[in-house]
Amino acid sequence: MQISAEFVTSASGAGDFPRDRLPEVAFVGRSNVGKSSLLNALVRRSVARTSAAPGKTRLANFYRVQRGASPALFLVDLPGYGYARGGDASAREFKGLVEAYFSRASGHGLRASETTDPKARGLEPVAIGVLLLVDSRHPGLDSDMEAWEWLESQPVPHGVIGTKVDKLSRAERTRHAREFETLFDGPVPLVSASTGEGLDELWKMIARLPSQTAA
Ligand code: GDP
């Protein structure tokens, strides 16, 4: 399967988001959850910087990706949350950027005055899906569950993926898969950027997500 991927832009706020109306799938998760590694594994090359300094990437990074005959889309690397050393200011910065990002979603309900000419106002709505990445080794972390609750309140289709499944024993896989299913009310695919396990399933999820209606 041919995959093309190119870095498009880094955005620090609403004004910097790309104007192309491609479907988008954004990845969110705690710093160090394996977000950059997973993006690189999906596109089979090193487009995303894997973080030597966790939390330092405070920008939304957009990658234009095309896989086989599927339509092109943006994979978006949103900043990691739960970076203790960043303090309140960085938490606010994170929230501001992510809220600006979400406000572009086509399901977000623009006001009538805005929908007549959204482009003029820089509010062109786009099909957005969000994937929350959680570490397969640690079901139910407070910060992950808070992020999930917040996602559940947003009118944007979303799902959960467990990363680094290669680090689990056989027994842990079964146990954690069950725990995740209970926590997130449905099956949570467990994947590995290191071994490639689960990536085909993840691609299918990515292709479906932006066109789903939010629950
Ligand atoms: P990010 O901060 O979420 O972008 O996380 P990174 O992609 O930088 O990964 C954080 C650390 O986890 C790095 O040391 C990676 O090598 C490691 N890592 C990421 N994905 C995997 C995986 O699938 N398996 C294993 N064993 N380690 C991983």
Side-chain angles (χ1 to χ4, degrees), residues 151-164:
L151 278 177
E152 288 275 83
S153 74
Q154 297 293 313
V156 175
H158 48 273
V160 194
I161 296 287
T163 61
K164 309 187 189 181

Side-chain angles (χ1 to χ4, degrees), residues 112-133:
S113 61
E114 290 165 341
T115 51
T116 51
D117 188 10
K119 207 170 186 177
R121 293 160 190 266
L123 283 170
E124 186 108 355
V126 287
I128 287 177
V130 180
L131 284 175
L132 173 66
L133 306 188

Side-chain angles (χ1 to χ4, degrees), residues 180-192:
F180 280 124
E181 187 155 355
T182 306
L183 286 165
F184 296 104
D185 240 357
V188 173
L190 304 182
V191 306
S192 165

Side-chain angles (χ1 to χ4, degrees), residues 14-15 17-22 74 119 121-124 126:
F17 296 136
R19 297 294 166 122
D20 312 60
R21 299 188 66 227
L22 295 178
F74 285 128
K119 207 170 186 177
R121 293 160 190 266
L123 283 170
E124 186 108 355
V126 287

